[in-house]
Amino acid sequence: DIQMTQSPSSLSASVGDRVTITCRASQDIRNDLGWYQQKPGKAPKRLIYAASSLQVGVPSTFSGSGSGTEFTLTISSLQPEDFATYYCLQHNSYPPTFGQGTRLEIK
Amino acid sequence: EVQLLESGGGLVQPGGSLRLSCAASGFTISSYAMSWVRQAPGKGLEWVSAISGIGDSTYYADSVKGRFTISRDYSKNTLYLQMNSLRAADTAVYYCAKDLVQVARYYFDYWGQGTLVTVSS
């Protein structure tokens, strides 16, 4: 199985900050990666697909980049509603595997 | 509007069985692959099982293979997960998720709200 390693596991930031979350794959997954946001008690919501394509309806403050084994999710200016847990998901190789999550908290 | 509504969760003893349902609306489940993804309390996401939108190809995580069975009822537009020989480690919120295409590619674009399964004596 492909291992997805996210960093950091948690992050404290303030409204208006720029934050970056990284996901590293244990082998080349091309650009077969999505980013998901999950708020407490809610289902995950897809933000990014194909590593860098923004899901319709997601604010342009979110962006994704990377290919191969290293990927980043960037939030250019944190809004109060962005405080949540973020997961990456690789779907290049079976079985699909998630990163362990990054909890983004208010400083 | 696409909606997924899970049901069937609850408290079950170790070794017991439970069947989860995921009622879909706004699309036809035969046109898309569907998956179950679970999340243990306070933990991350784990893919559990998938079924293709065409044919009857099914896929399972090693942790549930031989114990869980995924299926669907086209007439009810509903996805199921039959869970047998349940263990404490199966305790989790179970989400159904829609794929973007008919073959299982794990492009999860819509998710249900989840149903909690608790395995405990």
Side-chain angles (χ1 to χ4, degrees), chain A residues 12-34:
Chain A
S12 294
S14 302
V15 172
D17 283 355
R18 177 185 180 93
V19 299
T20 298
I21 299 168
T22 298
C23 203
R24 290 186 172 88
S26 60
Q27 62 191 70
D28 188 345
I29 60 168
R30 301 188 305 178
N31 70 336
D32 294 329
L33 182 118

Side-chain angles (χ1 to χ4, degrees), chain A residues 36 38 42-43 87 91 94, chain B residues 39 60 95 105 107-108 112:
Chain A
Y36 293 81
Q38 187 180 34
K42 301 295 185 181
Y87 296 92
H91 54 86
Y94 178 84
Chain B
Q39 186 170 37
Y60 299 95
Y95 297 98
R105 288 288 290 139
Y107 298 124
F108 302 136

Side-chain angles (χ1 to χ4, degrees), chain B residues 39-107:
Chain B
Q39 186 170 37
K43 302 299 183 182
L45 300 165
E46 178 190 18
W47 171 80
V48 172
S49 181
I51 187 167
S52 61
I54 52 173
D56 287 310
S57 297
T58 57
Y59 310 88
Y60 299 95
D62 287 346
S63 57
V64 306
K65 199 172 295 182
R67 300 188 298 122
F68 290 12
T69 302
I70 191 170
S71 62
R72 61 188 168 215
D73 184 327
Y74 294 122
S75 66
K76 296 181 178 179
N77 211 35
T78 297
L79 176 75
Y80 300 103
L81 185 68
Q82 177 67 43
M83 304 186 296
N84 299 330
S85 303
L86 283 162
R87 307 165 180 168
D90 297 317
T91 295
V93 174
Y94 285 73
Y95 297 98
C96 63
K98 172 186 167 293
D99 216 315
L100 199 60
V101 293
Q102 287 188 322
V103 296
R105 288 288 290 139
Y106 315 105
Y107 298 124

Side-chain angles (χ1 to χ4, degrees), chain A residues 4-5 11-13 17-18 22 34 38 49 60 62 69 71 79 84 90 92 100 103 105:
Chain A
M4 303 300 294
T5 303
L11 176 60
S12 294
D17 283 355
R18 177 185 180 93
T22 298
Q38 187 180 34
Y49 63 95
S60 59
F62 289 90
T69 61
F71 302 86
Q79 301 303 302
Q90 73 80 20
N92 174 269
Q100 79 276 18
R103 184 176 180 181
E105 300 174 318

